Amino acid sequence: MRSPNEIDFWRGFALLTIFFNHIPGLYFERFTYRNISLSDSAELFVFLAGWALRKLVDGPAAGLSAGLLVLRIEGRALNVYIAQTVITEIAIALLAASSLFFDAPFLLDWHNASAVFADPVRAHIGLVLLTHQLGYFNILPLYVVLMFAAPLVALTQRLGSWLLLAISFAIYLFVLVFGVNLPTWPVEGTWFFNPFSWQVIYVLGFVLAGEDGLGALARRHRKLLRLLAIPVILLGGAAAMTGFSPDPIAVPAPKLLFMFDKTFLSPARLIHSLALTALFAGSFAMISLWLPRPSIFLSMLGRNSLNVFCAASLLSLAGQIFRFVYGGRVATDAIIVILGVSIMGLVAWASEWRERTRAASANESRSPSSSAIAPS
């Protein structure tokens, strides 16, 4: 397994934050950074996904042909898609079981789930097509789309980083100007995380992770970027703490350029997220020195991000139901947090234990002694 590192640490941090933020009203949620920030862990999670793709493309997959690279990335995308469909079905079952057990039929209406029970045929087609998404289970569909599109990102990068950035920003601006988004079905609406907008932070993570081009330029001017980031972060913090948001009626057209819209990842959120990245990039060395055990724990979560994310999504829904049944007091919220974080850690540990067992079995089967005793 990889040693604790900055990317896994921040990915683990994002996962933990998402778990807290996906339980509305949780007492400890008020201590997450979105309360003092214009952007939140969703931007961080997608940025790091792009970063991880670049490390894969420049690392283990560097020598692959275009065809093999596409197959490898699409295989990962298929895993994410399967994970999304499985946890969504488990979430639906959890809501249905809770509705029956607690005699609370309104639970069937939680988080956009009512269509699954009122119109199951069309809703399940929508679930498979990702056009029907439950609330709090809608970031993986974005990730699925980005992963399926990842070969285009990786292959365009081979033609030039600036070409990739130009295409990405052109799509981003077009979407902001014309308000383009994917529709949902059978419930009429649009995607909560617009893939056409969010691709830009994914691509930025990909490009900035490179050892050359924009990534190298950013690292050479890291001190300057940190200084520039501070006022942006302070302004974002002030907006978050005061609840300020531009009035849609007051801002000029195209309005999405000036709003703090999360669905379209408006420029203010994007810039604020990049400022946070600039300020905290490289801080892992100090954090791991002062907080070694939390650093190791968060890095373990980050190394197993897909499994931990799936667990965290279901745990957050379970936490919401727990609060509904037992009330939202500090004591019950503490139980939710302790159990939730412990289970997330257990899922990460079990994932790594399984990988170690597989590796040990593979090494044993390849060893000369094993060959000597194997039946002919």
Side-chain angles (χ1 to χ4, degrees):
M1 296 300 167
R2 295 189 298 268
S3 299
N5 62 72
E6 183 150 34
I7 303 306
D8 286 335
F9 169 80
W10 287 115
R11 193 151 47 179
F13 174 81
L15 289 167
L16 202 61
T17 308
I18 288 172
F19 168 65
F20 278 59
N21 290 343
H22 280 194
I23 307 176
L26 184 79
Y27 176 80
F28 302 96
E29 185 271 340
R30 69 189 65 185
F31 301 112
T32 60
Y33 78 94
R34 78 170 180 181
N35 296 290
I36 54 171
S37 169
L38 192 58
S39 60
D40 60 28
S41 48
E43 282 91 346
L44 175 60
F45 190 73
V46 177
F47 178 86
L48 292 175
W51 191 289
L53 175 67
R54 182 61 181 271
K55 292 303 178 187
L56 169 69
V57 170
D58 287 352
L64 296 179
S65 64
L68 290 176
L69 179 64
V70 170
L71 285 176
R72 177 155 183 172
I73 295 174
E74 296 303 333
R76 174 67 174 170
L78 186 60
N79 285 340
V80 179
Y81 170 78
I82 292 171
Q84 165 65 16
T85 55
V86 169
I87 63 170
T88 300
E89 287 297 339
I90 294 175
I92 291 168
L94 189 56
L95 287 172
S98 301
S99 172
L100 290 174
F101 189 78
F102 299 114
D103 191 23
F106 58 87
L107 287 176
L108 302 179
D109 295 327
W110 274 20
H111 309 321
N112 202 32
S114 56
V116 176
F117 304 104
D119 187 6
V121 175
R122 296 200 303 168
H124 275 85
I125 295 172
L127 289 174
V128 171
L129 296 176
L130 302 180
T131 60
H132 185 60
Q133 301 164 11
L134 303 187
Y136 299 110
F137 287 80
N138 43 24
I139 194 169
L140 271 192
L142 165 68
Y143 193 28
V144 169
V145 173
L146 294 178
M147 282 300 296
F148 275 117
L152 291 175
V153 174
L155 295 177
T156 306
Q157 160 66 25
R158 292 184 176 183
L159 300 176
S161 294
W162 295 109
L163 175 63
L164 174 60
L165 284 172
I167 294 173
S168 175
F169 271 96
I171 295 172
Y172 178 62
L173 289 175
F174 179 85
V175 168
L176 289 178
V177 171
F178 295 101
V180 178
N181 195 356
L182 290 174
T184 58
W185 180 86
V187 178
E188 189 175 344
T190 55
W191 283 41
F192 183 74
F193 289 99
N194 184 349
F196 299 128
S197 299
W198 281 75
Q199 55 79 24
V200 74
I201 196 166
Y202 182 75
V203 168
L204 281 168
F206 181 87
V207 171
L208 287 168
E211 298 297 330
D212 56 358
L214 189 62
L217 182 68
R219 277 182 277 279
R220 282 199 303 272
H221 298 88
R222 180 173 290 176
K223 291 183 179 178
L224 174 62
L225 290 174
R226 282 177 176 161
L227 290 175
L228 294 173
I230 290 173
V232 176
I233 292 170
L234 291 176
L235 286 173
M241 288 188 286
T242 60
F244 171 76
S245 182
D247 185 345
I249 299 175
V251 298
K255 297 182 181 299
L256 286 169
L257 287 172
F258 305 98
M259 302 296 293
F260 295 168
D261 191 277
K262 186 170 185 177
T263 291
F264 283 84
L265 186 62
S266 290
R269 292 186 66 104
L270 175 63
I271 293 169
H272 188 266
S273 178
L274 294 175
L276 283 174
T277 302
L279 186 64
F280 289 100
S283 61
F284 175 71
M286 183 180 297
I287 295 172
S288 61
L289 182 65
W290 288 96
L291 302 168
R293 290 190 179 279
S295 299
I296 292 171
F297 180 76
L298 290 178
S299 296
M300 182 178 68
L301 297 186
R303 281 196 301 268
N304 303 279
S305 58
L306 181 57
N307 291 347
V308 173
F309 182 90
C310 292
S313 297
L314 294 170
L315 287 166
S316 64
L317 179 59
Q320 293 174 41
I321 296 171
F322 187 88
R323 293 185 91 247
F324 161 72
V325 176
Y326 297 103
R329 295 182 294 274
V330 176
T332 52
D333 287 354
I335 293 171
I336 291 171
V337 167
I338 292 170
L339 284 176
V341 175
S342 299
I343 293 173
M344 288 169 67
L346 182 62
V347 168
W349 176 85
S351 301
E352 297 195 344
W353 172 81
R354 185 185 61 179
E355 291 301 317
R356 284 195 298 269
T357 303
R358 284 180 177 176
S361 299
N363 290 335
E364 186 177 346
S365 64
R366 287 196 298 265
S367 67
S369 57
S370 297
S371 301
I373 61 175
S376 58

